[in-house]
Amino acid sequence: MPIRVTLDVMMAKRKMSLNELSEKVEVTLSNLSILKTGKAKAVRFSTLEAICKALDCQPGDILEFIEEV
């Protein structure tokens, strides 16, 4: 998939665990884990907004487009 999720990088920069993020954005650990590992096929804008607010970042800080050759 040409979209890479770099959520783990931003979480590390903010020194926030998956448990903490889960509590702040009110998303289950399993769903956040799926997103973090890049296995998610979609993400709701409301979830993306909550993650960005919790991590004080922009969507482009946690999503990256990788051109396939």
Side-chain angles (χ1 to χ4, degrees), residues 44-56:
R44 288 190 171 120
F45 280 158
S46 58
T47 302
L48 186 58
E49 178 184 353
I51 290 170
C52 288
K53 281 182 180 179
L55 293 174
D56 189 29

Side-chain angles (χ1 to χ4, degrees), residues 9 11 19 24-25 28 30 34 36 42-44 48 50 52-54 58 60-64 67 69:
V9 173
M11 287 171 53
N19 284 332
K24 287 186 179 211
V25 300
T28 64
S30 59
I34 289 168
K36 185 179 136 191
V43 61
R44 288 190 171 120
L48 186 58
C52 288
K53 281 182 180 179
Q58 294 294 312
D61 295 329
I62 55 176
L63 299 174
E64 181 178 21
E67 185 125 15
V69 184

Side-chain angles (χ1 to χ4, degrees), residues 2-68:
I3 302 292
R4 181 185 309 159
V5 180
T6 57
L7 182 59
D8 54 343
V9 173
M10 188 54 63
M11 287 171 53
K13 286 181 181 178
R14 301 294 189 251
K15 295 181 171 81
M16 188 176 295
S17 71
L18 200 59
N19 284 332
E20 285 178 274
L21 185 59
S22 174
E23 289 175 13
K24 287 186 179 211
V25 300
E26 298 179 350
V27 174
T28 64
L29 273 174
S30 59
N31 283 339
L32 271 182
S33 181
I34 289 168
L35 181 61
K36 185 179 136 191
T37 58
K39 295 179 181 175
K41 298 295 181 197
V43 61
R44 288 190 171 120
F45 280 158
S46 58
T47 302
L48 186 58
E49 178 184 353
I51 290 170
C52 288
K53 281 182 180 179
L55 293 174
D56 189 29
C57 68
Q58 294 294 312
D61 295 329
I62 55 176
L63 299 174
E64 181 178 21
F65 176 74
I66 305 296
E67 185 125 15
E68 293 181 347

